[in-house]
Amino acid sequence: MTSSPSRKLAVSIERWPIAGAFTISRGAKTEAVTVVATVSQGGLIGRGECVPYPRYGETPEATLAALEAMQELVAGGMDRTSLQRVMPAGAARNALDCALLDLEAKSAGQRVWSLLGRPAPRPCTTAFTISLGTPEAMAAATARAARRPLLKIKLGGDGDDARIAAVRKAARESELIVDANEAWAPDNLEFYLAACANAGVTLVEQPLPAGKDDALADIKRPIAVCADESVHDRGSLQGLRARYDAVNIKLDKTGGLTEALAMADAAQALGFEIMIGCMVATSLAMAPAMLLAQQARFVDLDGPLLLARDRDGGLRYDGSLVYPPEAALWG
């Protein structure tokens, strides 16, 4: 009886220039730093990409080290179920979870959605992000993207009423969603929500800091409010219903597609609308999230569109329409 060939885990840090700069309330950056996990076995290779996020205390170097510490377990045949117990939710587990799924699909000769018993993903419309800036700069950037059907507007506190008014003037037909990245406060919450409602915004993402968002339960929300930094995996869903109408599911928060799919099902059962989000990264990081996009009211998978270049064989984008991945990329 011949034993199965052993698996090997390799990890690397990659740097991808951003087209211009990407600016939110916490600062600006000009490159996306990703960590890629590659699991190989018997001539087959599975890959997963993650983006360590300083907001959650993650760094590329620490993520690399956390993944390298998994090499012996991966070589010993650790599966995705065991992975959920061994590693905490976060960027590192996301890269490995997605790499193991990719390898599973290739080993089985199936697309990953068939392997998981999920419907085949269809093309979907992604939001396109407008970075934080002055009202004039944001209006100019919005005007260049005004033909896109869904725009995600980064806001940052003081002056956000002027920013969103300028954006709406520059894109009269686009659906607008807003991401404040925790920059508002209880004493200006209702003012800025009203400004967004007046501009016809559909959704406001994470207006208050995580852990300091009780005020959302004490007001009548004029538009839907979505949790991002306040929600990570299934364990963080409980108690959010009084404060939020939707949850933003990101693979780097959930620790991979395995937990993200379970979280999406649980969130819908609790009555939340679903948003699928991303960090600025390549198509390899977006590809697994396409399975989640089928359950989402809002899809925000524009990471590759914000880069100066994407990796070879990346997702196909036709304007704001994004297509499912080819097997050679992932899954």
Side-chain angles (χ1 to χ4, degrees):
M1 184 174 177
T2 304
S3 61
S4 300
S6 62
R7 295 187 305 185
K8 294 182 179 179
L9 168 63
V11 193
S12 61
I13 295 175
E14 298 182 351
R15 298 179 182 274
W16 298 87
I18 291 173
F22 181 76
T23 305
I24 66 173
S25 64
R26 284 187 284 272
K29 61 181 182 178
T30 57
E31 67 174 2
V33 183
T34 72
V35 178
V36 175
T38 301
V39 182
S40 57
Q41 183 177 30
L44 299 175
I45 293 175
R47 300 184 298 167
E49 177 180 312
C50 71
V51 181
Y53 195 22
R55 169 65 179 79
Y56 305 132
E58 297 174 334
T59 67
E61 294 75 18
T63 299
L64 185 82
L67 285 165
E68 288 178 337
M70 294 293 108
Q71 288 175 330
E72 186 175 341
L73 288 174
V74 170
M78 179 182 66
D79 61 14
R80 286 183 296 112
T81 301
S82 299
L83 175 64
Q84 312 307 305
R85 298 191 297 266
V86 173
M87 295 188 83
R93 195 177 78 187
N94 174 31
L96 185 50
D97 182 77
C98 291
L100 289 172
L101 259 174
D102 190 24
L103 182 63
E104 279 183 52
K106 288 179 169 63
S107 298
Q110 299 182 52
R111 295 310 306 265
V112 69
W113 44 87
S114 297
L115 192 72
L116 295 174
R118 295 272 172 167
R122 304 178 302 276
C124 57
T125 298
T126 178
F128 182 80
T129 303
I130 304 298
S131 284
L132 176 66
T134 65
E136 296 76 18
M138 293 181 72
T142 300
R144 293 191 292 271
R147 291 188 178 181
R148 294 183 181 272
L150 178 62
L151 297 177
K152 178 173 174 175
I153 313 304
K154 291 289 187 178
L155 296 181
D158 290 347
D160 279 348
D161 52 329
R163 291 186 180 100
I164 196 60
V167 164
R168 172 50 80 196
K169 188 175 180 180
R172 298 188 182 278
E173 302 299 324
S174 302
E175 182 177 12
L176 301 182
I177 58 179
V178 156
D179 187 0
N181 282 116
E182 305 179 281
W184 297 353
D187 61 358
N188 61 33
L189 174 64
E190 291 184 88
F191 174 77
Y192 285 136
L193 283 176
C196 289
N198 289 339
V201 170
T202 304
L203 180 84
V204 174
E205 194 180 341
Q206 198 67 44
L208 299 178
K212 300 179 180 179
D213 52 5
D214 289 345
L216 287 166
D218 299 330
I219 65 168
K220 183 174 181 179
R221 301 186 290 271
I223 51 180
V225 178
C226 178
D228 183 2
E229 286 85 353
S230 288
V231 66
H232 291 257
D233 54 15
R234 279 175 292 175
S236 58
L237 285 172
Q238 293 299 327
L240 291 183
R241 196 67 185 92
R243 286 169 278 167
Y244 294 98
D245 309 289
V247 292
N248 188 345
I249 301 175
K250 294 178 180 175
L251 300 187
D252 282 317
K253 292 191 300 180
T254 65
L257 184 62
T258 301
E259 172 62 21
L261 288 168
M263 180 181 173
D265 293 342
Q268 285 187 317
L270 289 170
F272 289 106
E273 284 194 311
I274 303 295
M275 178 177 181
I276 302 306
C278 70
M279 306 299 287
V280 183
T282 80
S283 284
L284 180 57
M286 307 299 123
M290 284 296 294
L291 274 72
L292 287 161
Q294 311 309 303
Q295 294 174 255
R297 165 66 177 87
F298 301 98
V299 175
D300 177 25
L301 297 177
D302 65 342
L305 298 178
L306 305 175
L307 298 175
R309 63 179 180 87
D310 192 8
R311 68 174 67 248
D312 292 341
L315 293 175
R316 175 188 167 195
Y317 287 86
D318 183 4
S320 290
L321 196 65
V322 55
Y323 288 78
E326 299 292 335
L329 174 65
W330 186 85

